[in-house]
Amino acid sequence: MTMKSNDNIYQVILTLFFVALSTLDLHAQKPNIVLIFADDLGYMDVAYNGHPEFETPNIDALAKEGLVFPNAYASAGNCAPSRACLVSGKYSPAHGVYAVWGTTRGDKSKMKVVPVPNTNHLEGKFVTMAEALKSQGYSTGLFGKWHLGKTSETMPLAQGFDTYFDSRQGNPNKKRDEPEDPKGIFSLTNAACDFITENKQKPFFAFLSHHAIHSSLEARPSSFEHFKDKGLSDKQALYAACTFDLDASVALVRNHLRKLGLEENTLIIFTSDNGATNESPQEPLRGNKGSYYEGGIREPFIACMPGKITPGINTMPIINVDLYPTFVDLAGARPDTYLDGVSIKPVLFGKQASVEREGIFWHFPGYLDRPVIRGRDQDFRSRPVTLMRQGDWKILLHHEEWVLNKGKRKKEGVELYNLSEDIGERKDLSMTEKEIRDKLLKDLLKWMKDSGAKLPVKIDDEHQLNDDDFSYD
């Protein structure tokens, strides 16, 4: 055979290779992503974490078949700021969404400093996780609660989502859904499943953002009667039944993915936006929704992808700002903007046991009314505070004492806990572990400076407590 013949054969093979390559659906190699996001579901509100009365068989099955992170956190103690952090991939100093409504919620006569004003929407300048995934060929859909603005510039369709459906759209103050569709659980889930069907030929990101189990509580009559028959009071039965109905959504999504043959190429993440209300005590965790003790921010977190993610437990601390860089990493890209989280893709797929990070952070420079169980005082869920978890250690810096004392007396306004030994935050070690306290405080103050975290100011002639605008724009 001549050299020329060899060249011709080589050219034919090369041509056939590229023809075959061009016919492949390259999108199919990118995993689909389904994020199931509960509202006010506490860490202890799922049966797999030991709740004695609630039944969450489908969430428990997901946990058994997936990778569970028992040290997972929301980025804030209540709804809007947690969601702003999740969607933007940035901690609260970047976007200024600290609370729902305002940062002077409660008895102003008991506030010692003027808090940082709140922003009630996520500005359009931020590149959202939906926009980042859309740029990588993903179809993007949001089903349910947004809570980050109501203008045309701040609604989901302007923030990277191709599809947006909410059973309460146009009526956010709706008091009651249909009895067989409590909190819109099933209409939202069905809409998400329809979106999955419509986009099964390309990668998709389905964000199923539930209203459940946020008050006011709702449940299917049959679910309520089931828990009443177990001897629970009406109040307990309603809470358990609402959680039980939320759990059913997980099965509907998983069964739909199986039916379409998409389960093995779809990452499912299940978590919640913040801790439970006082109606559901989170013991052994301290505190509840709106608090920055563990009961207000530690969340259930499960990652499941059959055949790709090995079931088990990973104790590495993570936070919901990690989802944005993780999703972009799964899409085979790098973020186009700076993100505060880290990609946990190597951990999900067994390449690493953990990822290195300086710590995880929270910044809440305001006041939230209504005290929580085992809170710091009996007036507020939270006073202004910045905190960090680094390894097993958690440090809280309370702004009132820090601002008024100019940070000179470290014993005032600082709390320190070793969460590996004291998950209930019962023993403040700030005065016994001084070396650790000072090291962590230095790291926390550096983060505050680097992130541009704004601090409250003293009440004086120039700075006065004013009523916040409680409108939601």
Side-chain angles (χ1 to χ4, degrees):
M1 186 176 291
T2 65
M3 182 69 72
K4 185 175 182 180
S5 297
N6 286 337
D7 288 345
N8 289 338
I9 292 172
Y10 174 75
Q11 289 295 332
V12 170
I13 293 173
L14 195 61
T15 300
L16 290 173
F17 171 76
F18 281 110
V19 168
L21 187 63
S22 67
T23 63
L24 291 175
D25 181 6
L26 297 180
H27 289 311
Q29 303 305 311
K30 294 184 178 182
N32 308 309
I33 300 167
V34 175
L35 173 57
I36 305 176
F37 206 52
D39 193 348
D40 291 5
L41 183 76
Y43 179 82
M44 294 303 299
D45 288 350
V46 289
Y48 81 81
N49 276 337
H51 198 286
E53 296 167 344
F54 293 175
E55 297 177 19
T56 52
N58 299 299
I59 296 171
D60 297 348
L62 191 72
K64 185 177 181 180
E65 299 168 38
L67 186 58
V68 174
F69 289 82
N71 290 292
Y73 292 93
S75 294
N78 63 340
C79 305
S82 177
R83 293 163 189 271
C85 293
L86 169 77
V87 171
S88 70
K90 296 178 183 292
Y91 289 123
S92 58
H95 50 69
V97 182
Y98 303 117
V100 179
W101 300 331
T103 49
T104 55
R105 293 178 56 177
D107 186 345
K108 292 180 177 58
S109 70
K110 296 180 179 179
M111 298 178 186
K112 299 178 182 178
V113 292
V114 180
V116 178
N118 189 55
T119 300
N120 280 319
H121 60 272
L122 183 65
E123 295 181 25
K125 67 181 181 180
F126 294 101
V127 179
T128 68
M129 62 164 55
E131 289 173 310
L133 289 171
K134 190 173 178 178
S135 72
Q136 297 303 312
Y138 278 71
S139 296
T140 57
L142 171 64
F143 308 92
K145 187 171 181 175
W146 175 238
H147 214 29
L148 295 175
K150 289 187 176 181
T151 66
S152 59
E153 294 81 13
T154 59
M155 287 289 280
L157 295 180
Q159 298 277 39
F161 289 98
D162 300 315
T163 301
Y164 170 51
F165 169 77
D166 190 352
S167 58
R168 297 185 169 188
Q169 192 171 346
N171 188 11
N173 298 316
K174 187 176 181 181
K175 297 299 182 183
R176 181 94 190 161
D177 291 279
E178 295 298 321
E180 292 300 325
D181 188 28
K183 308 298 289 186
I185 289 168
F186 299 103
S187 56
L188 295 178
T189 305
N190 290 335
C193 289
D194 289 343
F195 168 81
I196 290 170
T197 299
E198 292 165 6
N199 294 279
K200 63 183 179 180
Q201 299 300 330
K202 62 183 298 188
F204 57 78
F205 169 47
F207 184 6
L208 179 50
S209 181
H210 282 292
H211 292 283
I213 57 173
H214 194 289
S215 58
S216 57
L217 298 172
E218 301 172 12
R220 291 176 293 185
S222 59
S223 301
F224 177 73
E225 290 302 323
H226 170 73
F227 288 97
K228 280 289 291 179
D229 290 344
K230 294 181 67 175
L232 300 184
S233 67
D234 285 357
K235 185 177 180 180
Q236 292 170 326
L238 183 58
Y239 204 108
C242 189
T243 306
F244 183 71
D245 289 343
L246 169 67
D247 176 82
S249 170
V250 175
L252 291 174
V253 171
R254 297 192 73 192
N255 289 338
H256 192 69
L257 290 169
R258 290 190 191 106
K259 184 177 73 173
L260 297 177
L262 298 173
E263 188 178 30
E264 292 186 358
N265 194 44
T266 302
L267 170 66
I268 297 178
I269 298 288
F270 176 87
T271 190
S272 179
D273 63 348
N274 50 251
T277 64
N278 287 11
E279 289 183 75
S280 180
Q282 294 296 293
E283 295 292 351
L285 304 185
R286 179 180 181 181
N288 291 81
K289 175 182 177 179
S291 161
Y292 285 82
Y293 294 116
E294 294 293 285
I297 53 177
R298 189 183 288 226
E299 307 302 331
F301 191 104
I302 307 164
C304 187
M305 194 172 182
K308 306 287 179 59
I309 294 178
T310 302
I313 297 173
N314 187 294
T315 58
M316 175 184 73
I318 62 173
I319 189 166
N320 68 12
V321 292
D322 294 337
L323 288 177
Y324 186 155
T326 300
F327 293 167
V328 174
D329 198 0
L330 285 166
R334 292 179 178 272
D336 292 331
T337 183
Y338 172 79
L339 300 176
D340 285 318
V342 298
S343 172
I344 62 170
K345 176 185 172 182
V347 176
L348 294 180
F349 295 97
K351 303 297 184 183
Q352 298 173 201
S354 63
V355 292
E356 289 197 17
R357 67 193 316 159
E358 182 182 359
I360 53 180
F361 302 89
W362 297 261
H363 181 64
F364 176 68
Y367 293 89
L368 281 180
D369 54 344
R370 291 173 289 152
V372 296
I373 299 170
R374 286 206 296 124
R376 192 167 186 244
D377 62 52
Q378 293 303 306
D379 297 312
F380 298 96
R381 282 182 278 174
S382 182
R383 292 175 181 266
V385 65
T386 303
L387 55 149
M388 173 183 71
R389 175 162 179 176
Q390 191 178 89
D392 291 331
W393 292 96
K394 179 179 177 182
I395 186 169
L396 299 94
L397 176 63
H398 297 281
H399 297 172
E400 289 179 334
E401 293 90 339
W402 191 256
V403 169
L404 296 177
N405 294 327
K406 297 182 179 179
K408 292 180 180 179
R409 288 177 284 182
K410 291 174 181 168
K411 68 178 181 179
E412 296 189 30
V414 177
E415 291 180 86
L416 179 68
Y417 299 99
N418 185 333
L419 296 177
S420 66
E421 299 174 355
D422 179 23
I423 195 173
E425 296 169 291
R426 293 179 179 273
K427 187 176 182 181
D428 179 5
L429 301 174
S430 61
M431 294 307 296
T432 56
E433 298 288 351
K434 296 180 182 180
E435 186 175 340
I436 293 173
R437 178 200 66 193
D438 290 352
K439 190 268 182 189
L440 295 180
L441 184 58
K442 180 179 179 181
D443 290 346
L444 181 59
L445 291 172
K446 180 181 183 300
W447 176 82
M448 291 169 66
K449 180 180 179 181
D450 291 346
S451 66
K454 296 178 181 177
L455 283 174
V457 296
K458 287 184 178 181
I459 300 173
D460 54 27
D461 291 340
E462 184 179 356
H463 304 101
Q464 295 290 320
L465 285 164
N466 297 311
D467 288 335
D468 278 320
D469 179 7
F470 272 64
S471 64
Y472 185 78
D473 60 359

